[in-house]
Amino acid sequence: MALTVPFVAIVDDEEPVRKALKRLLRASGLEAETYESGQQFLEASAKRRPDCVLLDLHMPGLSGLQVLQALRASKTTLPTVVITAYDEPSSREQCLAAGAAAYLRKPLDERLLLNAISLHVNRLPREKAEK
């Protein structure tokens, strides 16, 4: 049996945020890939399903909430951590109701972010049979 490294998808329209999050996750021993839009992520996730998703709430095109709703409509369950610089109680409630596992404000506290991810990736099978 070979251990697999948890794969986290980072969906954010801001390139500096994507790069910083990818560096943080890789330094923490996670595999990370970035997507600049909700649509790009949805297309890619059909081919390779992440173990967890970091999803910006406010993006051009599909918002984070719309991505959550699309995942739910397709009956795809992915642990999703919504991140936002514009925290509003109604947004938090809508995201959690749509299936978000956590909702965090930017600037992100790295410890809180990594804890939110580990809560969900640690629940997953960490070993896969070698072919």
Side-chain angles (χ1 to χ4, degrees):
M1 295 256 212
L3 289 178
T4 59
V5 175
F7 170 50
V8 180
I10 301 164
V11 187
D12 197 301
D13 60 313
E14 296 179 47
E15 185 178 9
V17 173
R18 290 193 308 270
K19 284 183 175 182
L21 288 172
K22 186 173 186 176
R23 274 194 306 273
L24 172 66
L25 297 184
R26 287 193 168 168
S28 301
L30 300 167
E31 183 183 349
E33 196 55 60
T34 61
Y35 305 93
E36 63 185 38
S37 71
Q39 188 63 45
Q40 185 186 49
F41 163 71
L42 289 173
E43 290 167 6
S45 68
K47 297 175 187 129
R48 182 172 184 212
R49 189 176 189 269
D51 297 311
C52 186
V53 181
L54 296 183
L55 180 62
D56 187 24
L57 181 58
H58 297 284
M59 296 182 289
L62 292 178
S63 70
L65 181 58
Q66 289 171 314
V67 171
L68 279 170
Q69 291 167 336
L71 290 170
R72 189 176 206 181
S74 69
K75 305 211 184 309
T76 302
T77 304
L78 290 173
T80 303
V81 177
V82 173
I83 56 178
T84 184
Y86 310 102
D87 184 23
E88 297 174 10
S90 62
S91 296
R92 176 185 295 268
E93 291 167 16
Q94 288 176 319
C95 289
L96 295 174
Y103 183 96
L104 301 174
R105 287 181 310 204
K106 294 178 185 175
L108 296 166
D109 177 311
E110 291 178 5
R111 184 182 46 80
L112 288 176
L113 176 64
L114 292 172
N115 285 343
I117 293 168
S118 70
L119 272 174
H120 300 287
V121 297
N122 287 340
R123 292 183 185 164
L124 300 169
R126 298 291 302 259
E127 295 185 5
K128 290 187 180 175
E130 290 186 61
K131 301 260 177 182

